Amino acid sequence: ETGVTQTPRHLVMGMTNKKSLKCEQHLGHNAMYWYKQSAKKPLELMFVYNFKEQTENNSVPSRFSPECPNSSHLFLHLHTLQPEDSALYLCASSQAGANVLTFGAGSRLTVL
Amino acid sequence: GQQLNQSPQSMFIQEGEDVSMNCTSSSIFNTWLWYKQDPGEGPVLLIALYKAGELTSNGRLTAQFGITRKDSFLNISASIPSDVGIYFCAGPEETSGSRLTFGEGTQLTVNP
């Protein structure tokens, strides 16, 4: 595996479900990010982790809960989501403090 | 936060035509990044610009960092069908070198 890998690629869940998105990077980076991409809107930064520590939470609702057990893995735990949370969730990684991000292919989430 | 205005929002061109898109900001940027997102995939970095006035090419793609540091341009020459996708400009916010602001994207369609 190379680059940034995200699973699952597609997820459909009800509003009462609990699910998780997973991201793994094989680039030796030490910063990881979650972005939300909705139709016709700029990418929205959700969370930033540097060396496993959360350094940014962009006012994200608590129904999204990130977890970064090590510099190579990042999770986004989802619970009690709303239909408007349906979007493409992109994971990215970089060297800490660097501007250039490498993105995964994304997880397409649909909340019914 | 900073905002990036990207134009045009969409373009429909014939194969072989040249394409030009741009990005402007009300704030000064020290770095400009151009990404491309293929359908169903995550954004992939095309060109990174680090110096005002810099002109950088990547195959048929050429990008320029505006002299005022508030704008950037991306040109694609002799377009081909695989150029189809969404092109994003991005730059780091002033207060955080690792937090990128993204434009809304230019959707490019190339007709064979």
Side-chain angles (χ1 to χ4, degrees), chain A residues 9 33 35 37 40-43 45 48 56 58 88 90 97-106, chain B residues 31 33 35 37 40-45 48 50 86 88 92 96-104:
Chain A
R9 293 292 309 274
Y33 311 76
Y35 279 85
Q37 186 177 30
K40 299 187 178 181
K41 294 175 74 173
L43 273 69
L45 179 66
V48 181
E56 289 211 41
N58 194 21
L88 182 68
L90 291 162
N99 298 328
V100 177
L101 307 185
T102 301
F103 285 88
Chain B
T31 300
L33 306 172
Y35 283 86
Q37 186 174 25
E41 300 294 330
V44 173
L45 182 69
Y50 297 103
I86 305 176
F88 293 98
S96 171
S98 61
R99 182 173 178 149
L100 293 180
T101 298
F102 282 84
E104 294 185 0

Side-chain angles (χ1 to χ4, degrees), chain B residues 21 29 34 49 65:
Chain B
M21 60 191 79
F29 275 57
W34 285 94
L49 302 162
F65 193 141

Side-chain angles (χ1 to χ4, degrees), chain B residues 10-81:
Chain B
S10 61
M11 302 182 74
F12 297 83
I13 63 171
Q14 293 297 125
E15 182 177 359
E17 290 184 8
D18 297 342
V19 173
S20 184
M21 60 191 79
N22 70 80
C23 209
T24 60
S25 171
S26 58
S27 306
I28 288 175
F29 275 57
N30 294 317
T31 300
W32 283 98
L33 306 172
W34 285 94
Y35 283 86
K36 181 195 177 192
Q37 186 174 25
D38 289 330
E41 300 294 330
V44 173
L45 182 69
L46 298 174
I47 292 177
L49 302 162
Y50 297 103
K51 187 176 176 183
E54 180 181 352
L55 185 71
T56 298
S57 293
N58 178 4
R60 292 178 296 105
L61 278 61
T62 302
Q64 183 161 25
F65 193 141
I67 291 291
T68 65
R69 296 166 64 190
K70 293 184 177 181
D71 59 5
S72 180
F73 301 86
L74 176 69
N75 296 317
I76 305 173
S77 62
S79 59
I80 59 178

Side-chain angles (χ1 to χ4, degrees), chain A residues 74-100:
Chain A
L74 184 65
F75 295 89
L76 188 62
H77 303 299
L78 316 169
H79 61 97
T80 325
L81 294 192
Q82 305 298 311
E84 59 265 29
D85 295 323
S86 299
L88 182 68
Y89 288 85
L90 291 162
C91 174
S93 70
S94 74
Q95 293 296 343
N99 298 328
V100 177

